[in-house]
Amino acid sequence: MLGLNKKDTYMFLLVLALVVFAPFLLNPFPENSELAQFNAGYPDLMQRFLIFGIFAIGFNILFGLTGYLSFGHAAFLGVGSYAGVWMMKLLTMNVIPAIFMSVVFAGLFSLLVGYISLRRSGIYFSILTLAFAQMSFSLAYSVLTPITNGETGLQLALDDPRVIGVSQVDGSIPPANFFGMPMRESFEMSMGGWLFTFNAGYYLCAVVMMIAFYIAIRIFRSPFGMMLRAVKSNQQRMNFTGLNSKPYTLAAFVISGMYAGLAGGLMVAMDPLAGAERMQWTASGEVVLMTILGGAGTLIGPVLGAGFIKYCENIFSKINDNILYDWFAALPDGLADVLVFIIHPFIGKGWHLTLGIMFMLIVIFLPGGIMEGLERIGGLFKRRKPPSQDKSAPQASAAPAE
């Protein structure tokens, strides 16, 4: 199917099913249930799952295949966001030109950064990419203020020209749309105590994410992907054979940067606003965590890691002491107070502590990330082939000795 082998086809169809039915899968608890706090099936969060999944897939093409660890990938996310907003200000509120130009500008910027940074490897490469990202962050707040609008962030205005589209609709800024379909348009379906929301913006992100995932599969399985794995295995030995690894690593860096720009363009398509905080080093560190948590070098792992972190960020951070007391209302007051006291540091503003502990446990016990854990679970259910009944019997066909 689509040029994929059987295993990759099953994996692609599995991811497609998860993405299509996410509004159902992410809302397992009724609206009136106390556990509804853990539901994640609302449009804004589902869009973030996909957008940061694309960001992590792109980063994994560089880090997972070549072993080059970049601490500056958020710069391309920010450049893509700024390019997307400018397209909406100058051209049209149709999201397609904005997304396209986000990818183009991020690709050009990553070509410049990669050409310079890839002259070094190891920790020196990582520090160079971090330096470029921090310079971009600082410039967005100072010298480039006419382009980025500084601390306020770049946003739409009523007097924007929009050569193709309209500047105003009933005295307000027109919504971002896909050939007339607003990205905010949603359809709600109620089934018993459950409420499911189907959002136009989410499914646009879903289509783009599946295309990006398919391209990543083809890259991983291509001769180009094999060359990138050779770079990760032993770049020096590869150079000794007469192969120049620089074009391959630069191509991987640019492709990875374009994925980041695509994620930035989708952010703008969902919410037409771009700020310099998207280029900060913490955003670059976040995509590193996503990839390592999910499983660097795997195809689905970075997507799972992105979803895991965004879930913690948006769900655990909203739990407070009042919610905890509601959960423990049936317990004696003293015991409820003790439980709230114990759990309090791990929720709300302390959700980073929960994430940090989980990250430590996964790195220590599952170095391959979430994917290694799933493989171990899958291995428990695999049937072992029974031993041969007669080991002394000659084999029907033996492989020739080499």
Side-chain angles (χ1 to χ4, degrees), residues 74-396:
F76 312 128
L77 182 77
V79 168
S81 297
Y82 282 122
V85 175
W86 272 111
M87 288 303 296
M88 289 185 173
K89 291 172 70 69
L90 300 177
L91 191 62
T92 175
M93 289 300 292
N94 191 323
V95 299
I96 297 301
I99 294 172
F100 176 77
M101 293 308 295
S102 296
V103 175
V104 171
F105 274 84
L108 293 174
F109 186 53
S110 61
L111 179 62
L112 172 64
V113 175
Y115 182 78
I116 298 173
S117 301
L118 287 168
R119 293 175 179 271
R120 294 291 180 266
S121 60
I123 188 62
Y124 305 104
F125 167 80
S126 302
I127 295 300
L128 280 173
T129 55
L130 177 61
F132 271 106
Q134 285 304 101
M135 284 191 294
S136 302
F137 171 73
S138 299
L139 289 173
Y141 270 127
S142 55
V143 179
L144 298 179
T145 297
I147 299 176
T148 63
N149 204 29
E151 296 181 359
T152 307
L154 187 64
Q155 48 194 316
L156 305 178
L158 288 173
D159 57 350
D160 290 334
R162 295 194 188 90
V163 178
I164 298 178
V166 295
S167 296
Q168 300 182 25
V169 175
D170 298 330
S172 60
I173 300 172
N177 63 84
F178 177 72
F179 297 105
M181 178 185 293
M183 293 293 94
R184 294 194 298 263
E185 185 172 329
S186 298
F187 168 74
E188 293 185 347
M189 181 176 68
S190 179
M191 294 178 61
W194 285 265
L195 181 65
F196 306 107
T197 304
F198 305 90
N199 175 256
Y202 168 76
Y203 282 105
L204 175 65
C205 291
V207 171
V208 175
M209 188 267 185
M210 292 309 302
I211 295 173
F213 184 66
Y214 172 76
I215 294 173
I217 295 176
R218 297 305 299 265
I219 290 175
F220 268 65
R221 304 297 184 237
S222 67
F224 172 69
M226 292 296 293
M227 295 298 291
L228 296 181
R229 286 190 176 89
V231 170
K232 182 178 181 179
S233 177
N234 196 320
Q235 186 174 4
Q236 188 176 14
R237 182 179 297 175
M238 179 180 175
N239 292 333
F240 284 161
T241 63
L243 290 172
N244 184 6
S245 61
K246 292 297 176 65
Y248 296 99
T249 54
L250 180 59
F253 192 92
V254 173
I255 293 171
S256 184
M258 293 172 72
Y259 268 79
L262 176 61
L266 285 173
M267 282 185 177
V268 169
M270 302 304 113
D271 183 15
L273 173 67
E277 69 278 354
R278 291 180 183 173
M279 309 171 79
Q280 204 167 9
W281 68 270
T282 52
S284 297
E286 193 174 55
V287 74
V288 176
L289 291 180
M290 291 174 181
T291 306
I292 295 175
L293 276 176
T298 63
L299 286 164
I300 304 181
V303 180
L304 297 178
F308 181 83
I309 288 181
K310 287 302 165 184
Y311 183 87
C312 291
E313 178 182 345
N314 290 272
I315 301 301
F316 289 153
S317 63
K318 292 190 299 184
I319 301 176
N320 53 37
D321 290 354
N322 293 330
I323 294 176
L324 291 179
Y325 276 114
D326 289 339
W327 291 351
F328 303 139
L331 300 176
D333 291 342
L335 181 57
D337 291 338
V338 171
L339 292 175
V340 171
F341 177 78
I342 294 173
I343 299 174
H344 174 80
F346 301 94
I347 59 171
K349 294 181 180 179
W351 74 271
H352 289 94
L353 180 58
T354 302
L355 178 63
I357 293 174
M358 291 182 178
F359 180 75
M360 289 173 58
L361 293 175
I362 289 177
V363 169
I364 293 172
F365 298 104
L366 297 173
I370 296 174
M371 289 303 298
E372 181 181 340
L374 295 177
E375 289 176 0
R376 290 186 183 181
I377 294 173
L380 297 176
F381 296 95
K382 285 184 178 179
R383 289 184 176 181
R384 294 184 178 181
K385 293 183 179 181
S388 177
Q389 297 295 329
D390 186 7
K391 296 183 180 180
S392 61
Q395 295 182 357

